[in-house]
């Protein structure tokens, strides 16, 4: 039986803690770091954020792929991704609380007019704006999975009127559920604040477009922390320019880092963050991956198996 060998590949993650994890928990496993792959025949498992197209397909003894992220679009974008191999993603792994913090921060930032008050402070202007009770503020959460359902729940607990949109209907206390293409227009029509936490799939690519912005009540806010590929940058700029959207807080962009020429950097109604809504903290991701790895090796089902037929 050939030795178990893990190939680690990421352009954003430090391999050191992962190497140490395997050395500690699975000293029997060899750990290699892309591009120092050695003999392709040796690789049995891949631990990946992003790897050049075609590499995974070139591994004849590959048994499974583990994503270093909750999303997997950056892996399956490879046209040669070996779709018959099991692919597992991070489920929560310490990211959920951060995603919820980010979404709530964006909602509250706009709801409490903090952008206006910051501008007023800069101008040394003392001026009160009327308050709006959260029950009069409707928030729509696109994507009601691990992150979206937590965001929706917490927003509802603050008294907002919350709706959620997902592929299949959901039952979350205090949250009105809309599902699929059929429920989409009604969901948008009541989303004064729209929070996007969808995965990027063939169905959701480019969803944040003029077609969508036109269906919102108008003059509201977008909080976008899903994936860059959801956003049509020219359309969000047009929506901000025309006041269809009053404010957009965005964490992910079609090109990352956001290019210096992007008008979003300096747009007065845009709030840009560099893909930091959730980042690995402590060793939650490491714990999940090693548990999943061990389960897989024992022939048990790991958590977070991706269903490639729906793309997430
Ligand atoms: P889940 O798979 O748990 O949830 C996905 C949700 O989206 C589900 O509710 C699903 O519906 C819904 N959905 C998928 N496709 C469609 C569709 N075509 N129409 C309507 N609803 C759809 O994912 P997570 O919550 O764990 O993660 C969501 C995304 O967050 C990740 O894929 C990633 O892109 C992003 N992310 C961003 C980070 C950041 O720092 N900005 C960090 C981590 C992740 P259903 O429930 O019916 O299956
Ligand atoms: C993820 C991310 O998918 O950090 O986990 O974006």
């Amino acid at each position: 039986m050939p030795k178990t060998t893990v190939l680690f590949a990421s352009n954003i993650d430090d391999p050191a803690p992962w190497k140490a994890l395997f050395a500690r928990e699975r000293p029997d496993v060899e750990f290699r770091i892309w591009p120092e792959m050695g003999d392709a025949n040796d690789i049995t498992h891949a631990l990946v954020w992003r790897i050049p197209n075609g590499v995974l397909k070139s591994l004849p003894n590959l048994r499974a792929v583990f994503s270093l992220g909750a999303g997997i679009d950056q892996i399956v974008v490879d046209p040669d991704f070996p779709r018959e191999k099991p692919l597992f993603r991070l489920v929560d792994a310490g990211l959920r609380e951060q995603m919820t913090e980010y979404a709530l921060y964006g909602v509250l930032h706009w709801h409490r007019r903090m952008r206006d008050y910051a501008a007023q402070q800069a101008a040394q202007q003392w001026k009160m704006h009327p308050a709006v009770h959260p029950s009069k503020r409707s928030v729509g959460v696109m994507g009601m999975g691990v992150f979206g359902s937590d965001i929706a729940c917490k927003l509802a607990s603050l008294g907002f009127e919350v709706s959620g949109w997902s592929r299949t209907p959901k039952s979350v206390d205090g949250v009105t559920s809309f599902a699929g293409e059929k429920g989409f227009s009604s969901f948008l029509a009541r989303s004064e604040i729209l929070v996007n936490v969808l995965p990027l799939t063939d169905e959701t690519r480019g969803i944040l477009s003029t077609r969508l912005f036109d269906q919102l009540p108008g003059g509201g806010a977008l909080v976008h922390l899903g994936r860059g590929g959801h956003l049509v940058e020219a359309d969000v700029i047009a929506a901000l320019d025309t006041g269809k959207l009053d404010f957009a807080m965005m964490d992910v962009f079609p090109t990352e880092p956001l290019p210096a020429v992007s008008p979003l950097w300096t747009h007065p109604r845009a709030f840009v963050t560099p893909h930091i809504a959730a980042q690995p903290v402590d060793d939650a991701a490491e714990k999940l991956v090693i548990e999943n790895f061990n389960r897989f090796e024992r022939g048990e089902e790991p958590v977070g198996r991706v269903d490639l037929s729906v793309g997430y």
Side-chain angles (χ1 to χ4, degrees):
M1 177 110 164
K3 192 169 176 171
T4 303
T5 304
V6 170
L7 176 64
F8 176 97
S10 174
N11 52 340
I12 57 169
D13 299 274
D14 177 6
W18 293 97
K19 189 171 182 196
L21 170 82
F22 274 87
R24 195 172 61 245
E25 302 286 335
R26 290 295 304 263
D28 56 313
V29 169
E30 194 170 334
F31 191 87
R32 294 187 190 161
I33 302 167
W34 174 263
E36 309 299 320
M37 181 170 77
D39 186 346
N41 289 296
D42 297 343
I43 308 298
T44 51
H45 302 73
L47 184 50
V48 175
W49 170 257
R50 183 79 185 96
I51 191 163
N53 290 354
V55 174
L56 293 173
K57 189 188 177 186
S58 75
L59 308 174
N61 295 314
L62 184 68
R63 295 184 210 143
V65 180
F66 297 87
S67 171
L68 288 163
I72 49 84
D73 50 284
Q74 69 285 354
I75 299 173
V76 300
V77 69
D78 175 356
D80 290 324
F81 178 79
R83 297 177 68 85
E84 70 288 1
K85 304 290 177 194
L87 168 61
F88 303 98
R89 70 184 191 93
L90 295 186
V91 175
D92 184 357
L95 305 177
R96 182 168 45 100
E97 289 87 351
Q98 298 176 67
M99 292 294 272
T100 298
E101 283 169 2
Y102 187 100
L104 264 60
Y105 181 85
V107 168
L108 293 172
H109 185 81
W110 184 75
H111 169 63
R112 296 305 306 261
R113 300 189 66 150
M114 289 304 167
R115 191 173 50 99
D116 296 333
Y117 288 118
Q120 285 180 209
Q121 182 182 353
Q124 300 190 356
Q125 188 185 20
W126 186 273
K127 183 179 165 199
M128 295 160 87
H129 297 281
V132 178
H133 193 269
S135 62
K136 298 280 180 303
R137 205 65 107 183
S138 53
V139 187
V141 179
M142 292 207 296
M144 285 289 289
V146 174
F147 301 142
S149 56
D150 192 54
I151 292 167
C153 233
K154 303 265 161 64
L155 285 168
S157 77
L158 290 178
F160 288 97
E161 193 197 310
V162 185
S163 316
W165 184 66
S166 38
R167 217 166 44 83
T168 54
K170 293 281 164 295
S171 170
V172 176
D173 264 3
V175 179
T176 308
S177 169
F178 293 85
E181 199 48 47
K182 221 171 93 219
F184 195 42
S185 294
S186 315
F187 164 78
L188 292 176
R190 56 190 276 159
S191 298
E192 188 180 11
I193 304 177
L194 185 68
V195 175
N196 172 42
V197 70
L198 285 165
L200 183 62
T201 67
D202 290 345
E203 276 71 46
T204 65
R205 187 175 305 280
I207 194 166
L208 296 175
S209 66
T210 299
R211 179 179 166 258
L212 178 151
F213 298 133
D214 280 347
Q215 296 179 71
L216 297 173
L222 169 71
V223 181
H224 165 50
L225 63 161
R227 271 289 186 268
H230 292 140
L231 189 71
V232 181
E233 196 177 323
D235 290 4
V236 81
I237 292 167
L240 290 166
D241 285 343
T242 55
K244 251 183 236 168
L245 277 178
D246 182 56
F247 172 68
M249 178 157 168
M250 293 160 286
D251 187 52
V252 280
F253 302 89
T255 305
E256 294 180 10
L258 184 64
V261 293
S262 170
L264 289 175
W265 280 117
T266 51
H267 199 291
R269 297 174 192 272
F271 189 162
V272 167
T273 57
H275 200 146
I276 48 72
Q279 301 173 71
V281 280
D282 306 326
D283 56 357
E286 283 94 330
K287 274 192 185 134
L288 176 66
V289 167
I290 202 77
E291 254 176 56
N292 260 355
F293 181 87
N294 288 335
R295 273 192 204 135
F296 184 76
E297 285 298 277
R298 290 195 298 265
E300 297 163 14
E301 183 61 19
V303 299
R305 172 101 187 227
V306 173
D307 178 354
L308 286 174
S309 71
V310 289
Y312 64 97

